[in-house]
Amino acid sequence: MSQSTPRVFIVGGGFAGLAAARALANAPARVTIVDYRNHHVFQPLLYQVATASLSPADISEPIRTIVRDQRNCQVVMAKVVGVDVARRRLLIAGGYVEYDYLILAAGATHSYFGHDEWANIAPGLKTIDDAIELRRRILLAFESAEYEGDDEARRAELTFAIVGAGPTGVELAGAIKEIAGKTIPQDYRFIDTTTTRVLLFEGVDRVLPTFPPKLSDHAKRDLERMGVEVRLNQMVTDISDKGITVGEEFIAVRNIFWAAGVKASSIGESLGVPLDRSNRVIVEPDLSIPDHPEVFVTGDMAAARSADTGEPVPGVAQGGIQMGRYAGRVIADELAGRSTPADRKAFVYRDKGSMAVIGKASAVAATRRVNIGGFIAWLLWAGVHIAFLVGFRNRFQVLLRWFWNWLFNARDARLITGDAPLDVHTPRPREFVYQPSPEDGADASSPPRDETSS
Amino acid sequence: MSQSTPRVFIVGGGFAGLAAARALANAPARVTIVDYRNHHVFQPLLYQVATASLSPADISEPIRTIVRDQRNCQVVMAKVVGVDVARRRLLIAGGYVEYDYLILAAGATHSYFGHDEWANIAPGLKTIDDAIELRRRILLAFESAEYEGDDEARRAELTFAIVGAGPTGVELAGAIKEIAGKTIPQDYRFIDTTTTRVLLFEGVDRVLPTFPPKLSDHAKRDLERMGVEVRLNQMVTDISDKGITVGEEFIAVRNIFWAAGVKASSIGESLGVPLDRSNRVIVEPDLSIPDHPEVFVTGDMAAARSADTGEPVPGVAQGGIQMGRYAGRVIADELAGRSTPADRKAFVYRDKGSMAVIGKASAVAATRRVNIGGFIAWLLWAGVHIAFLVGFRNRFQVLLRWFWNWLFNARDARLITGDAPLDVHTPRPREFVYQPSPEDGADASSPPRDETSS
């Protein structure tokens, strides 16, 4: 260790990284959070940005603002490329920094199970930029369908396929069905957006596979009542810009979203320790890596087990928060001389339950004591999420928007941004009476029509 | 004219286009708004998005939602490339449509006075995407400065130059000074953001040149009290990524924003009629073009004069609204058989006054009767803008955000999005103790430091 104040680096400003920083608030250390983005994202509500219900800023906050009052903590916006464990160096694009303790909490990204070529066609939902892209595609689908003259092509535009029925997939499916069925029908003249199909594919035999089977059934019923087509035990074998192939069946669909697999940040690969098949670092009981008690791996980057039950720690916000806090406390204790690496107690995960929301007024909530579904679960879900947003300073606005949307079925953030919004789809002629170039011989007058919409 | 319902095309869903559509609400016509974007933008508040006070969705709304209840109106998201006036065709990328009446209201974009190479270095502020880019640059400047080891380079990062002291330039300058001075100082450990310099350059001898001289003086005093450096009678002669050259003087500055000139949409060039030097179409007294009473040009695309005073119609929201409404009414009257092109009365512009806001609690407002500056003008400004947001459905949220920011100096939308946020600036080492690669011979230990920030 160097002679100056010990340096603790935390890679990632997500749930795990922030919890670690907070646990180090009074430690005699210089704590540095390194993140490629300037903001923390409240990931459980990302699907609401993707479906135009909330604005990106409603669920994000600059990391440096969150730790503003923690005077031993600084924040660097930089890209981490790996770790030189032997020399205790964190490698950053174009250079490195030296650490005394390191907490890796860089999270996970989508995994296409070896089909990276699907990524552009079927984007996933992990970051604010992902959410903006999903929103763009969802809104553009209706724009394109409105003037698509070919029935089959229009049907494909108005079909959404979501791969993976975990919480993100379930929440996206419900929200898209709601937009199409309740929010926007009056906005269009030629299409009936209530006919929008939403297909939810899951490889195993129930939705929300990490929940109790009873709640999976509840969620499936709610989804089906909303009109979502739930397809269980179906493996996606191909994805193209024409559609999706499930087993032998091809379905024409222009909008495919990926909520199936994740793989951990590639930073773990540089550690030289065993990874699981999701690229997660297989950590010791104290969340460190073999032979390096000064390196912790937390959150979605870690394949960890709870010391009491031996069960894997789930990839949810609470898992990240508890792991990050644990690592931060261990370091704080050791820096203060209250303990040594030999004294460390193994990490124990406390299951605080998990929730998923289905549409506007239903949810499922599983805790160790009770499993509930329906409106009561929805209230619980809303309460917990608003409580979590404390510290975001946006909670009043989030609350107001929710209430507003609830009352009026509004989606306030229906904004298509980005430079080339029209490049994805080129609609073919329909009621717009659009004549293709070249002009010559194209004096066919438009078919007469009146103001009644189809 | 075709035998079917007359077709009126409106190009652009800005103030002029929407006013035209509304004036045609009861006309026996099929009205189609064509816009490259899906949303209308409340442009007077764009600077608040650029300075992270409001979210993009707070000041924008899907065009089709705005005209939802106008059953004779449809909306197409498409790119217009020109007009074939002789054949009455509106040319759209890859094809065309035929019109009976056409209202062009496609607005204006930035003009760099023949220096298009400045565009990437000094972006302007016309669209939501522009605002997001400005926000990104403003926020990244502080991120880069925080870890910039070289004093001179850090100073350049913390210097903002705004070219053009019209309302947009004045509003941007005031807002940036406020962020730097009040909102974010506590977020940084190594820089004092209150030392941020904001330079406002104007080619003529006063700020807000379109306002009465008395108010220009008022605005200049307010800006200078906030610490904005106002430079009058200074022509920018060069812009590079190193800085800005004004006359013979070079100033190192890494953040340059363009609020100087605009030029009208290039669609006007396809009409074959005279344009002014800002590319605007020189219209007839009835806002039509010579020999084509069925083609109107409105808003920022038009060089129009008010028939009563002979004065040019200013390029403000009211100019667009009044021109659009006029064109829509003329068409509605003629389609209903109440009048003919020969009966048209010339367009008269009613000056409802103009306003510009300077920081959080001051503004200037000029009407025909009174000219006021200061807090009262700010209240007027806030009231008028909130009233204008009626129909946006977001006004409560906007009001709440403003109030919140007012109370807490918060900037809720401090979000850096986009794929490569770190490519603009690569900070050099400072307190971050960042060691450049290659690693060999780089075992120089970091300089000792403690927790007190500089």
Side-chain angles (χ1 to χ4, degrees):
Chain A
M1 279 206 199
S2 74
Q3 297 308 301
S4 57
T5 311
R7 294 157 300 190
V8 181
F9 278 85
I10 299 170
V11 180
F15 288 117
L18 287 183
R22 206 166 295 135
L24 285 157
N26 299 311
R30 176 150 45 104
V31 179
T32 305
I33 301 174
V34 188
D35 199 306
Y36 185 57
R37 311 260 165 203
N38 81 319
H39 51 273
H40 171 75
V41 177
F42 190 76
Q43 281 200 355
L45 290 177
L46 257 187
Y47 85 95
Q48 294 220 1
V49 174
T51 54
S53 213
L54 294 176
S55 275
D58 291 333
I59 62 158
S60 49
E61 181 87 354
I63 297 166
R64 58 173 72 258
T65 303
I66 296 173
V67 298
R68 170 192 283 182
D69 298 326
Q70 185 173 331
R71 300 309 294 184
N72 72 345
C73 184
Q74 63 186 76
V75 179
V76 175
M77 196 173 161
K79 183 148 186 68
V80 170
V81 294
V83 182
D84 179 344
V85 176
R87 301 203 211 184
R88 297 190 176 182
R89 287 177 180 174
L90 182 63
L91 309 177
I92 293 181
Y96 66 90
V97 289
E98 294 178 337
Y99 60 80
D100 296 306
Y101 279 103
L102 178 65
I103 300 175
L104 295 176
T109 182
H110 324 295
S111 164
Y112 290 89
F113 307 132
H115 288 280
D116 289 347
E117 72 276 14
W118 295 351
N120 283 334
I121 304 168
L125 183 59
K126 276 281 173 193
T127 67
I128 290 286
D129 284 312
D130 290 342
I132 293 171
E133 175 63 16
L134 256 64
R135 182 177 74 182
R136 198 175 76 85
R137 292 190 183 210
I138 293 168
L139 299 174
L140 272 180
F142 299 110
E143 294 295 328
S144 298
E146 174 83 339
Y147 293 102
E148 175 58 69
D150 180 80
D151 286 346
E152 217 168 293
R154 185 168 64 252
R155 173 49 49 206
E157 289 285 5
L158 289 177
T159 303
F160 293 78
I162 295 158
V163 183
T168 298
V170 164
E171 288 164 350
L172 264 183
I176 293 171
K177 197 70 193 170
E178 266 184 354
I179 296 177
K182 296 183 181 162
T183 313
I184 60 169
Q186 302 299 317
D187 284 9
Y188 293 85
R189 298 290 180 259
F190 307 113
I191 54 172
D192 178 358
T193 62
T194 66
T195 64
T196 298
R197 289 179 70 192
V198 177
L199 304 164
L200 179 62
F201 294 98
E202 171 56 50
V204 304
D205 64 352
R206 57 196 181 95
V207 303
L208 301 175
T210 61
F211 283 65
K214 205 185 96 184
L215 292 185
S216 294
D217 292 346
H218 197 296
K220 180 164 179 286
R221 270 199 315 278
D222 280 352
L223 286 166
E224 287 175 341
R225 200 171 45 219
M226 295 177 68
V228 173
E229 299 168 46
V230 181
R231 304 265 200 118
L232 302 175
N233 294 312
Q234 303 212 338
M235 296 301 286
V236 171
T237 50
D238 193 30
I239 283 176
S240 75
D241 58 3
K242 302 272 185 298
I244 193 167
T245 307
V246 191
E248 300 293 301
E249 182 192 9
F250 172 79
I251 303 161
V253 38
R254 289 298 299 268
N255 316 282
I256 308 173
F257 303 130
W258 189 259
V262 295
K263 65 164 187 279
S265 160
S266 60
I267 296 171
E269 297 165 17
S270 68
L271 298 174
V273 297
L275 309 177
D276 75 0
R277 65 199 179 95
S278 298
N279 224 31
R280 294 182 302 172
V281 176
I282 298 168
V283 293
E284 302 286 298
D286 64 355
L287 308 185
S288 70
I289 60 172
D291 303 324
H292 287 281
E294 76 281 7
V295 177
F296 294 83
V297 183
T298 63
D300 287 345
M301 275 188 75
R305 288 178 181 277
S306 181
D308 54 351
T309 60
E311 290 291 309
V313 181
V316 298
Q318 269 300 323
I321 290 168
Q322 293 182 30
M323 285 194 257
R325 189 166 49 208
Y326 168 89
R329 283 180 181 168
V330 166
I331 294 170
D333 283 345
E334 293 176 11
L335 287 177
R338 289 190 294 268
S339 90
T340 69
D343 302 329
R344 290 181 190 175
K345 288 199 180 65
F347 172 73
V348 173
Y349 175 67
R350 302 267 171 240
D351 186 3
K352 299 205 171 176
S354 45
M355 291 192 275
V357 67
I358 307 134
K360 205 175 61 181
S362 185
V364 291
T367 71
R368 272 174 306 172
R369 271 176 265 174
V370 287
N371 295 325
I372 51 172
F375 185 64
I376 299 295
W378 186 88
L379 287 178
L380 188 66
W381 175 86
V384 167
H385 283 77
I386 290 169
F388 258 119
L389 284 168
V390 169
F392 268 65
R393 225 171 296 209
N394 283 315
R395 60 197 153 126
F396 286 119
Q397 284 167 23
V398 170
L399 199 63
L400 189 77
R401 284 206 195 220
W402 277 351
F403 184 66
W404 195 259
N405 288 347
W406 173 276
L407 283 177
F408 299 109
N409 282 323
R411 297 270 162 174
D412 279 332
R414 273 181 294 138
L415 192 61
I416 299 176
T417 56
D419 277 338
L422 298 178
D423 290 353
V424 177
H425 303 137
T426 303
R428 270 173 283 176
R430 205 157 71 113
E431 289 83 350
F432 183 28
V433 201
Y434 178 89
Q435 319 278 4
S437 293
E439 312 182 355
D440 296 1
D443 259 87
S445 70
S446 52
R449 63 175 298 283
D450 60 24
E451 266 62 55
T452 59
S453 46
S454 63
Chain B
M1 277 204 204
S2 74
Q3 297 308 300
S4 58
T5 311
R7 294 157 300 191
V8 181
F9 278 85
I10 299 170
V11 180
F15 288 116
L18 288 183
R22 206 166 296 136
L24 285 156
N26 299 310
R30 176 150 44 106
V31 179
T32 305
I33 301 175
V34 188
D35 199 305
Y36 184 58
R37 311 259 166 204
N38 82 319
H39 51 273
H40 171 74
V41 177
F42 190 75
Q43 282 200 355
L45 290 177
L46 257 188
Y47 85 95
Q48 294 220 1
V49 174
T51 54
S53 215
L54 293 175
S55 276
D58 292 332
I59 62 158
S60 48
E61 181 88 353
I63 297 166
R64 57 173 73 256
T65 303
I66 297 173
V67 299
R68 170 191 281 182
D69 298 326
Q70 185 173 332
R71 299 311 294 186
N72 72 346
C73 184
Q74 62 185 79
V75 179
V76 176
M77 196 173 161
K79 183 147 185 69
V80 169
V81 294
V83 182
D84 180 343
V85 175
R87 302 201 212 185
R88 297 191 177 181
R89 287 178 180 173
L90 182 63
L91 310 177
I92 293 180
Y96 66 90
V97 289
E98 294 178 337
Y99 60 80
D100 296 305
Y101 279 102
L102 177 66
I103 300 175
L104 294 176
T109 182
H110 322 295
S111 164
Y112 290 88
F113 308 132
H115 288 280
D116 288 346
E117 71 277 14
W118 295 352
N120 282 334
I121 304 168
L125 183 60
K126 276 280 174 193
T127 67
I128 289 286
D129 284 312
D130 290 342
I132 292 172
E133 175 63 16
L134 256 64
R135 182 177 74 181
R136 197 174 77 84
R137 292 190 183 209
I138 293 169
L139 299 174
L140 272 179
F142 298 111
E143 294 295 329
S144 298
E146 174 83 339
Y147 292 102
E148 175 57 68
D150 180 80
D151 286 348
E152 216 167 293
R154 187 169 62 252
R155 174 48 50 207
E157 289 284 5
L158 289 177
T159 304
F160 293 79
I162 294 157
V163 184
T168 298
V170 164
E171 288 164 349
L172 263 183
I176 293 171
K177 197 70 193 168
E178 266 184 354
I179 296 177
K182 295 183 181 163
T183 313
I184 60 168
Q186 302 299 318
D187 284 9
Y188 293 85
R189 298 289 179 261
F190 307 112
I191 55 172
D192 178 359
T193 62
T194 65
T195 64
T196 298
R197 289 180 72 193
V198 178
L199 304 163
L200 180 61
F201 295 98
E202 172 56 51
V204 304
D205 65 351
R206 59 194 180 96
V207 304
L208 301 175
T210 61
F211 283 66
K214 206 184 97 182
L215 292 184
S216 293
D217 293 344
H218 197 297
K220 180 165 179 284
R221 270 199 315 276
D222 280 353
L223 285 166
E224 287 175 340
R225 200 171 46 219
M226 294 176 69
V228 174
E229 299 168 46
V230 181
R231 307 266 201 116
L232 303 175
N233 294 309
Q234 304 212 338
M235 296 300 286
V236 171
T237 50
D238 194 31
I239 284 176
S240 75
D241 58 2
K242 302 271 184 299
I244 193 168
T245 307
V246 191
E248 300 293 303
E249 182 193 6
F250 171 80
I251 303 161
V253 39
R254 289 298 298 268
N255 317 282
I256 308 173
F257 303 131
W258 190 259
V262 295
K263 66 165 187 279
S265 161
S266 59
I267 296 170
E269 296 165 16
S270 67
L271 298 174
V273 297
L275 308 176
D276 75 0
R277 65 197 179 97
S278 298
N279 223 33
R280 295 182 303 173
V281 176
I282 299 168
V283 293
E284 302 286 297
D286 63 355
L287 308 184
S288 69
I289 59 172
D291 302 325
H292 287 281
E294 76 281 7
V295 177
F296 294 82
V297 183
T298 63
D300 287 345
M301 276 188 74
R305 289 177 182 277
S306 182
D308 53 351
T309 61
E311 290 290 310
V313 182
V316 298
Q318 269 299 322
I321 291 168
Q322 293 182 31
M323 285 195 257
R325 189 166 51 209
Y326 169 89
R329 283 180 181 168
V330 167
I331 295 169
D333 284 345
E334 293 176 9
L335 288 177
R338 289 190 294 267
S339 94
T340 71
D343 302 329
R344 289 182 189 174
K345 287 198 181 66
F347 171 74
V348 173
Y349 175 67
R350 302 268 172 237
D351 185 3
K352 298 206 171 175
S354 45
M355 292 191 276
V357 67
I358 308 136
K360 205 175 62 180
S362 185
V364 292
T367 71
R368 272 174 305 172
R369 272 177 262 174
V370 288
N371 295 325
I372 51 171
F375 186 64
I376 300 294
W378 186 89
L379 287 178
L380 189 66
W381 175 87
V384 167
H385 283 78
I386 290 170
F388 258 118
L389 285 169
V390 169
F392 267 68
R393 224 171 295 209
N394 283 313
R395 60 197 153 128
F396 286 120
Q397 283 166 24
V398 169
L399 199 63
L400 189 78
R401 284 206 194 219
W402 276 351
F403 184 65
W404 195 259
N405 288 347
W406 172 277
L407 282 178
F408 298 108
N409 283 321
R411 296 271 162 175
D412 279 331
R414 272 180 293 139
L415 194 61
I416 300 175
T417 56
D419 277 338
L422 298 179
D423 290 354
V424 177
H425 302 138
T426 303
R428 270 174 282 176
R430 203 159 71 113
E431 288 83 352
F432 183 29
V433 201
Y434 178 89
Q435 320 278 3
S437 295
E439 310 182 357
D440 297 2
D443 259 270
S445 70
S446 52
R449 63 176 296 284
D450 60 24
E451 266 61 58
T452 58
S453 47
S454 63

